Amino acid sequence: MKKILISTILVAIGCFSMTAQSTVLNNPDNKPYFGIRVGADVSCPGNITAGSVGLSVFNNGGGFEFGGIYNIPVVANFYIEPGLKLFYDTYSLKEEWVKFIQGGIILDSGSIRKFGMRIPVVAGYHFDFTDDVKVSVFTGPELEVGFSGKEYLKGRNIESSGSVYGDNGSMNRANILWTLGAGIAYQHFYFDIKGGIGMANMLSDSDATLHENHVTFTLGYNF
């Protein structure tokens, strides 16, 4: 009798363990859903590089993004997630470069401010540890298009602004980034940290290169 009882308990434990592991990696309740997202950006422009010489011209800056996603299950807990977001990002010229660029004009600051949209399409996998808690990792490309971009210069005897896009600008509107990140969902609430690595040269009509990157801390709600 004792052997039968112990065997029954071991079988039950084994079945429970297999079911739990199966749910973690392959939840049968997966279904498509929409989500809204709002994020705080840290803008991270790289060096301006010409040949083997790279110059650190910009400070990191701040900004935000807002938009939505649509999560599409593919197989097991693997998913594809396209999105559409608006962003506003800023970063500033380092003090020594502000002075160098303007020569004798006394400046206090110089900054670049951009507004536009982002279209990420990431692939990821989520691990469903409980019915309420899911952890995900994801990666994929992101298209970024600037609607408006301006350079602002401010000082004691001057305050000016001009577009960085167009015929008289020095920067390209479009950027392609590669995104990597990890997130956690609790019931309908969501949080993630992700980084976008800029792959396109943002300087137009120039032999020099500049890549724009960003790190984003995101809060969201899944419907």
Side-chain angles (χ1 to χ4, degrees):
M1 185 69 180
K2 289 182 179 179
K3 289 183 178 180
I4 295 174
L5 179 60
I6 292 172
S7 298
T8 302
I9 292 172
L10 290 175
V11 169
I13 291 172
C15 291
F16 178 79
S17 177
M18 290 176 63
T19 301
Q21 290 177 8
S22 176
T23 303
V24 169
L25 299 176
N26 184 9
N27 192 333
D29 294 331
N30 287 329
K31 58 184 178 180
Y33 61 83
F34 287 99
I36 57 173
R37 300 287 186 265
V38 58
D41 278 350
V42 179
S43 306
C44 307
N47 292 346
I48 293 181
T49 303
S52 60
V53 178
L55 300 174
S56 179
V57 177
F58 300 106
N59 296 306
N60 292 344
F64 65 88
E65 67 173 25
F66 173 79
I69 57 89
Y70 185 59
N71 188 286
I72 308 167
V74 178
V75 62
N77 287 355
F78 177 75
Y79 64 89
I80 301 293
E81 189 176 277
L84 179 62
K85 302 173 183 179
L86 298 176
F87 76 91
Y88 179 77
D89 277 351
T90 70
Y91 54 85
S92 60
L93 288 164
K94 291 188 174 179
E95 184 179 356
E96 60 267 29
W97 290 104
V98 172
K99 293 179 179 179
F100 176 79
I101 290 170
Q102 295 304 312
I105 298 174
I106 301 173
L107 285 178
D108 296 323
S109 63
S111 64
I112 292 176
R113 308 174 191 181
K114 294 185 175 183
F115 168 72
M117 72 174 181
R118 292 172 177 157
I119 306 175
V121 181
V122 300
Y125 207 95
H126 57 83
F127 304 90
D128 299 1
F129 294 106
T130 72
D131 290 340
D132 292 332
V133 178
K134 301 179 181 181
V135 175
S136 59
V137 291
F138 54 87
T139 187
E142 179 179 73
L143 172 65
E144 184 177 282
V145 180
F147 298 151
S148 172
K150 290 192 175 183
E151 179 185 67
Y152 288 85
L153 301 174
K154 186 176 182 180
R156 300 180 199 174
N157 52 357
I158 184 175
E159 185 170 348
S160 67
S161 65
S163 177
V164 297
Y165 301 140
D167 294 337
N168 297 322
S170 60
M171 305 189 79
N172 295 312
R173 292 181 181 273
N175 191 10
I176 296 290
L177 302 99
W178 193 265
T179 298
L180 304 100
I184 182 169
Y186 175 72
Q187 297 181 353
H188 292 282
F189 298 97
Y190 178 81
F191 171 77
D192 75 33
I193 301 174
K194 58 181 176 288
I197 302 169
M199 297 185 291
N201 181 15
M202 298 308 295
L203 298 180
S204 60
D205 300 324
S206 174
D207 293 331
T209 59
L210 168 66
H211 297 281
E212 292 182 348
N213 317 294
H214 61 78
V215 177
T216 305
F217 302 85
T218 304
L219 291 175
Y221 187 88
N222 299 324
F223 294 96

